[in-house]
Every structure is written in structure tokens, then in C-alpha cells.
Amino acid sequence: MNTRKLGPFTVSAMGLGCMNLSHAYGQPPSEQQGEKLLLAALDAGVTLFDTAALYGFGANESLVGRVMKPHRREFTLCSKGGMAGVTGDDGVVRRVIDGRPETIRRNCEDSLRRLQTDVIDLYYLHRWDKKVPIEDSVGAMSRLVEQGKVRTIGLSEVSAATLRKAHAVHPLTAVQTEYSLWTRNPEIAVLDACRELGIAFVAFSPLARGFLCDALQDVGTLDAKDIRRSMPRFEPGHYAENLKLLPRYKALAQEAGCSPAQLALAWLLHKRADIIPIPGTTRLEHLTDNLGAAQVQLDSTLVERLEAHINQRTVHGNRYSAQARAEVDTEEFE
């Protein structure tokens, strides 16, 4: 596996997003299946593993902690706080965005316990709590660095302006945001800000939540709890239009001599050396296929045709619902 720089760390050119093993896309796999996939990724040369307190309301961190503890020196561990599950008076666990310093401290302590580690290599603010100045949240994270609980810090789903404010309080190692052929928002300003400030960019959902794998033809088959059901791009009307993009896309993958998933990941790897995709999966064959993208070579002409085919003008529907869009701070295309 080729490597890339993530702040002070040298990591595999692609990491593993661990969310799918516990959260978001319907019924998660068994813990035994999750364990096999984590260890297979490590054996294949993946040295960047990404989780969060939110995923499975702690279950994902517990899984990663249990399975990966014996191998802790072999990889860079990332997690996130500031958005987690909170149990209400009715006993129901709900997602809560809370960037207050005391909450960030508590989230980190809980994550360390679940991950069975003394230190988290890269700790992100999962969402900026807009009720709390970003300087206050990042200040609390900087104290975690001083205390040796985390080595470096980052932000998720923020604008270039917020990024600069945060970086002025404490140097950031990474920004993590959705980025793929069909979600190009980082190209508005954040990618340039990262380059200017020397911050790595970690791309989550690089496979467009399965769309670019050609893995989902009928959105009616999605599990009732699948988060894609709330995303406009996966509403039946929009999705029917988006499916029309796939035949040409698959033809370009065939021309490049790779699978559709590999084409999406290879495109990101070819964009810039400071971009690190973190695709997630629950299946070993998909893991192997994804990692093969590191060997795919794309010529500039094919890249131009690819970008002209799938972009913010040709994709139908927003990436998030109105509520979710209000919770992030990323720039949007008009």
C-alpha cells in the first residue's frame, strides 16, 4: 500500500471508515464479521482506522477497541466527539450535537475507555456546534493534546472560514468532509484552505454512499433505518435520474481497466497527494476491490471526461436533508 502524510503520521493512502460495521446503513454485520473485516484491512496494509462516538452510539468504538487493541502500535487511530448518543428521560438514545468544552472532555474520556487505549492519534470535532464559538471547542481539544489524551486534532464538515478560525487557536492535522465525484463541495474553498495551511483532507463517503459502486438499483429495498432514506439524492424521483449516469460511468471504468468503485477512489487519489479517502464496507470482497484502487492509473483525458459526466450540475438532489444541511458548515454550490 502506498502511503500519505497525515500531519505527523505516515498512513496508508486509503484508510478504513469503520462506521458501516455498526451504524447507518440498516442492520449492521455481526461482531464476528466486523472483527474479520478490521483484521483483514490491517493485514492488507491499511494503517488508518476511523471511528466516532456516534457510530452505533459507542458500539463501533467498542468493536474497534476490542479487536485492534493487540495491534495498537501498527496503525493510526482516529475518532470524533462533539456529536454522540444521549439517553433522554424516556430512555431513548438520540443523536445530540454538543461542542461545549465540558462535553468534549467527557466524550474523549468515554472514547478512550471504549477504544481501550491511552491516546487517540487524531481526534475530530464531529460537527461544529453553532451555539458554541469554534474557538471554545477547539480550545478544549487543544487541552486534550496538552494532557496527552490525543496527539492531534481535526474538524469535520466545516467551511474554509471556520477552518481558519480553528487553526489559529491550535494547529489542525486534518479536515474530514464528504467528497466524491457526486459531492464536490470541498472544491469551492476547503481544499484550497487545506493546502494553504498544510492540513490533510480526509474524504468520507468517497463511493457516494454506494452509488458509485453500482451497488443499489432499487432504493425501495433500503432498510427502514438506512440513513440514505432521508437523503434527497436517494428519493425515488431523484435517484431514477441519477441512475442514468451509471452506464457511461461504468463504461469509463471499463476503459480504465478497473471496477466502478476503484474508479471513484482512483479519481480521489489522483486529485491531490494530501487527500486520503476512507471508504467503508462490511464485505471482505469489497474491501479487496477498494484497496485495488491504489494501483489504478488514470490519464488526464479520462479524468476530464469523468468529471464532466458526474458533478454538481449533473447529479439530482441535495446530499443532505434540510435539517442535516443546517447542522453542517460546509460551503454549497448555488
Side-chain angles (χ1 to χ4, degrees):
M1 176 72 71
N2 298 326
T3 61
R4 296 198 165 184
K5 293 297 292 182
L6 180 67
F9 312 110
T10 298
V11 300
S12 50
M14 284 185 288
L16 180 70
C18 301
M19 179 182 76
N20 304 40
L21 301 177
S22 310
H23 183 83
Y25 298 120
Q27 182 65 33
S30 68
E31 285 215 356
Q32 291 74 20
Q33 289 174 285
E35 178 175 353
K36 287 181 180 178
L37 193 126
L38 289 169
L39 293 177
L42 188 68
D43 287 344
V46 175
T47 60
L48 177 66
F49 289 78
D50 183 276
T51 181
L54 177 70
Y55 302 158
F57 299 138
N60 195 245
E61 287 184 323
S62 295
L63 172 66
V64 172
R66 177 180 64 79
V67 174
M68 304 299 284
K69 182 180 180 180
H71 313 281
R72 182 64 185 87
R73 294 180 178 274
E74 301 173 41
F75 66 94
T76 298
L77 175 63
C78 309
S79 194
K80 312 176 194 73
M83 182 164 70
V86 176
T87 304
D89 295 336
D90 57 0
V92 177
V93 182
R94 295 180 175 85
R95 187 193 69 166
V96 174
I97 297 173
D98 187 347
R100 292 175 296 172
E102 60 270 26
T103 301
I104 290 173
R105 289 194 297 270
R106 184 172 65 252
N107 286 171
C108 183
E109 293 285 356
D110 291 343
S111 290
L112 287 167
R113 174 177 46 79
R114 288 190 292 261
L115 290 165
Q116 300 188 44
T117 188
D118 295 328
V119 61
I120 297 168
D121 297 313
L122 172 54
Y123 193 59
Y124 292 95
L125 184 65
H126 204 157
R127 290 289 186 274
W128 172 34
D129 179 354
K130 297 175 184 178
K131 302 184 299 296
V132 179
I134 190 65
E135 294 88 347
D136 292 357
S137 297
V138 172
M141 297 171 75
S142 73
R143 288 186 283 278
L144 296 174
V145 176
E146 293 168 0
Q147 295 162 8
K149 296 176 180 178
V150 307
R151 290 195 169 98
T152 65
I153 63 174
L155 301 178
S156 178
E157 294 274 41
V158 296
S159 65
T162 300
L163 171 60
R164 288 190 172 92
K165 289 179 184 178
H167 192 69
V169 175
H170 188 277
L172 301 176
T173 283
V175 170
Q176 182 173 143
T177 293
E178 182 175 357
Y179 188 32
S180 68
L181 278 163
W182 85 342
T183 297
R184 307 286 279 277
N185 305 57
E187 296 174 4
I188 300 172
V190 166
L191 283 173
D192 287 342
C194 285
R195 173 172 285 172
E196 173 192 331
L197 300 171
I199 297 170
F201 185 93
V202 175
F204 76 77
S205 295
L207 298 173
R209 302 186 185 274
F211 176 76
L212 293 173
C213 306
D214 186 27
L216 178 65
Q217 290 293 319
D218 182 5
V219 291
T221 63
L222 291 174
D223 186 273
K225 295 183 178 180
D226 193 306
I227 62 171
R228 289 173 290 187
R229 284 193 172 273
S230 68
M231 295 176 175
R233 288 179 182 175
F234 290 91
E235 293 173 359
H238 286 312
Y239 200 69
E241 292 298 317
N242 290 329
L243 282 175
K244 296 176 183 178
L245 296 169
L246 283 181
R248 175 62 177 157
Y249 176 72
K250 290 190 287 185
L252 289 170
Q254 186 173 17
E255 184 178 333
C258 64
S259 71
Q262 289 173 344
L263 180 60
L265 294 168
W267 173 76
L268 276 170
L269 292 171
H270 279 71
K271 289 295 284 185
R272 283 176 26 176
D274 59 353
I275 294 174
I276 304 170
I278 51 167
T281 185
T282 61
R283 297 171 60 176
L284 293 174
E285 62 268 30
H286 290 170
L287 172 68
T288 300
D289 186 57
N290 290 346
L291 297 181
Q295 309 306 320
V296 174
Q297 299 297 315
L298 301 179
D299 64 55
S300 59
T301 302
L302 190 145
V303 169
E304 289 174 4
R305 286 184 287 150
L306 183 59
E307 292 180 347
H309 180 58
I310 300 182
N311 57 62
Q312 70 276 8
R313 294 180 299 277
T314 62
V315 171
H316 286 249
N318 287 307
R319 69 184 182 109
Y320 283 148
S321 66
Q323 176 184 340
R325 288 166 66 194
E327 293 175 348
V328 300
D329 179 50
T330 48
E331 292 89 353
E332 292 191 2
F333 290 101
E334 295 183 4

